[in-house]
Amino acid sequence: MASVLMGLGANSLNVALPAVVRHFRAGPVEASWILLAFMLANTVLIIVFGRFADMFGRRAMYLAGLGAYTLGSLLLGFAPTAWTVVALRVLQAAGAAMLLANSAAILTDVFPREHLGRALGVYTAGFSIAQLAGPTLGGFLVDDFGWRWVFWYNVPFGVLCLAWGAAVLRPVEPARGERGVDVPGNVLILAGLGGLLFGLSQVGDLGWTSPPVLGGAAVFAVLLPVFIAVERRSPHPVIDTALFRDPPFAFGILATFLDATARIGAVLLMALFFQAVQGDDAVTAGLKVLAMPAVAVVASTGSGFVQRGMDARTMAALASALTTLGLAVLLAAVSPRPGYWPIMLGLMLMGAGSGAFLPANATALLRGLPSHRVGIVNAMRLMIMNVGIVVSTALAFPVITAPVAASLRDRVFAGTLSRVSEPGVAQLVTGYRYALGLMAVLSALAVLSSYAARRTGETAS
């Protein structure tokens, strides 16, 4: 329930953002930071709170996250300025990071191994449900009640989740010897990863060679070896680098990154494709891409039952192969005048692949871990996935617009290119083929990584 709530918050705000911007008369900088602040803060804080949960207990951290997210939602409706909205979105992101870092870890603790895949499948399906319902909910709330209710509707559900969690979540004794806090490691990961994500988030507006992008990459490149050196010497590292010496874990984490990078870019691109190439309005384009999250809900929910007769790593490899096949179908289908059914088939294959991959990959990474390591490993998985999402977003839009004349690129993002330039549409389709080809290659590498995790896991066993 809390996971659906967080997913709805992210997806509904995307639709409601223009109303928030109009109310505060915000400029493009404030508008971008209303979305960017949550993404950056959530990604860099997940790993920190995953570590804290292992130290101080998942129940307390989870309930604190629910409280922070609900309080942030309440205060956002009273925000007097656009920058206040940005600051309160950071509070929301901190609460969401506490929740995300603990949700799958709590399930891993309480479900027996033979039922874990089913539990994680239902949990993952919640995010697909939110992706389906979020835009519609956001539009309804803004049109009928005003932008403040995009935040306020979270409050009663957040209070209900908080009361329910306080009543039913079992207190788990934190592991002894896990009380140390790696302050230098936490500071370095916040600075390094924050710099990288900020730089990548500016690629679409400023280009790859702009000072913010190069500066963010440079900060990350300089701090990464320093971070690794500090973690190796720390008695209580925020990230245990020894985990990456385990081949199944290392390949599983790599597959997480590659899958997110391939999958998210394709979703973003196809929603824009229907508007910029076919001239659809935003609502019609949104309805056309619903096939992917709808199938993902079914695949996520059903994946746990399939895992009862199939190893989780095997299922992750097969799911990645489905995603790759879906991307190949989309690559073959895109043209200046495409039929909808081949595109829908590609989206459905991707939905089945991504819906099955996420719970299978999580099960493979988390099962069998000692309780005091589940929180940090789950947080690492989510952090890597979020970085993949940012990288995918940064890659996708520059690649599709590269063949398009510079004077027409604004028309691409406005969704009006098909109305002004037929040659521009042909150029954009070429860019789509480049981008989808790149995503297909990344997805194929995810298949290989998942297969390598399976093979090395069998060898270790």
Side-chain angles (χ1 to χ4, degrees), residues 338-365:
Y340 174 61
W341 292 108
I343 291 178
M344 188 177 77
L345 174 61
L347 290 172
M348 291 175 69
L349 287 169
M350 286 191 63
S354 63
F357 175 83
L358 291 174
N361 179 254
T363 302
L365 288 170

Side-chain angles (χ1 to χ4, degrees), residues 108-299:
T108 302
D109 270 347
V110 301
F111 275 84
R113 180 172 177 171
E114 62 270 20
H115 298 300
L116 179 59
R118 213 184 326 174
L120 289 174
V122 174
Y123 162 68
T124 305
F127 294 98
S128 297
I129 292 170
Q131 189 178 354
L132 278 168
T136 303
L137 177 65
F140 168 73
L141 290 171
V142 169
D143 288 344
D144 287 27
F145 299 99
W147 66 269
R148 300 178 193 277
W149 283 96
V150 173
F151 302 112
W152 280 344
Y153 84 90
N154 288 295
V155 176
F157 292 105
V159 171
L160 174 60
C161 288
L162 188 61
W164 192 352
V168 303
L169 288 179
R170 297 189 316 212
V172 178
E173 186 69 23
R176 295 180 180 179
E178 292 290 324
R179 291 284 175 179
V181 178
D182 179 18
V183 175
N186 281 301
V187 171
L188 287 169
I189 200 169
L190 290 172
L193 190 56
L196 175 66
L197 295 178
F198 174 75
L200 290 173
S201 67
Q202 302 302 304
V203 169
D205 294 330
L206 303 177
W208 286 96
T209 58
S210 64
V213 175
L214 295 177
V219 168
F220 177 76
V222 169
L223 293 183
L224 178 60
V226 178
F227 173 76
I228 293 173
V230 168
E231 294 303 277
R232 284 179 173 175
R233 291 171 173 79
S234 174
H236 304 286
V238 65
I239 292 180
D240 187 355
T241 55
L243 286 169
F244 291 94
R245 297 174 193 160
D246 177 38
F249 176 83
F251 282 120
I253 285 290
L254 178 60
T256 300
F257 173 77
L258 292 168
D259 174 80
T261 307
R263 172 172 44 88
I264 296 299
V267 174
L268 294 171
L269 292 181
M270 294 315 298
L272 181 61
F273 178 85
F274 291 115
Q275 298 178 69
V277 174
Q278 294 194 314
D280 293 333
D281 57 53
V283 174
T284 303
L287 290 173
K288 284 184 174 181
V289 298
L290 281 183
M292 182 175 173
V295 173
V297 171
V298 178

Side-chain angles (χ1 to χ4, degrees), residues 350-432:
M350 286 191 63
S354 63
F357 175 83
L358 291 174
N361 179 254
T363 302
L365 288 170
L366 297 179
R367 69 181 180 190
L369 288 172
S371 179
H372 70 279
R373 304 305 293 157
V374 172
I376 188 63
V377 171
N378 182 56
M380 288 169 62
R381 178 183 70 87
L382 293 168
M383 181 192 71
I384 292 295
M385 187 166 64
N386 282 356
V387 172
I389 290 170
V390 178
V391 171
S392 184
T393 306
L395 284 173
F397 295 124
V399 172
I400 64 167
T401 55
V404 180
S407 59
L408 294 174
R409 288 174 185 171
D410 286 346
R411 294 283 189 171
V412 173
F413 298 111
T416 58
L417 181 64
S418 62
R419 303 174 197 170
V420 299
S421 175
E422 192 167 326
V425 169
Q427 294 167 351
L428 180 61
V429 168
T430 300
Y432 264 87

Side-chain angles (χ1 to χ4, degrees), residues 84-103:
T84 308
V85 173
V86 172
L88 290 172
R89 289 283 287 164
V90 173
L91 174 61
Q92 258 195 334
M98 295 184 210
L99 292 170
L100 288 170
N102 285 283
S103 298

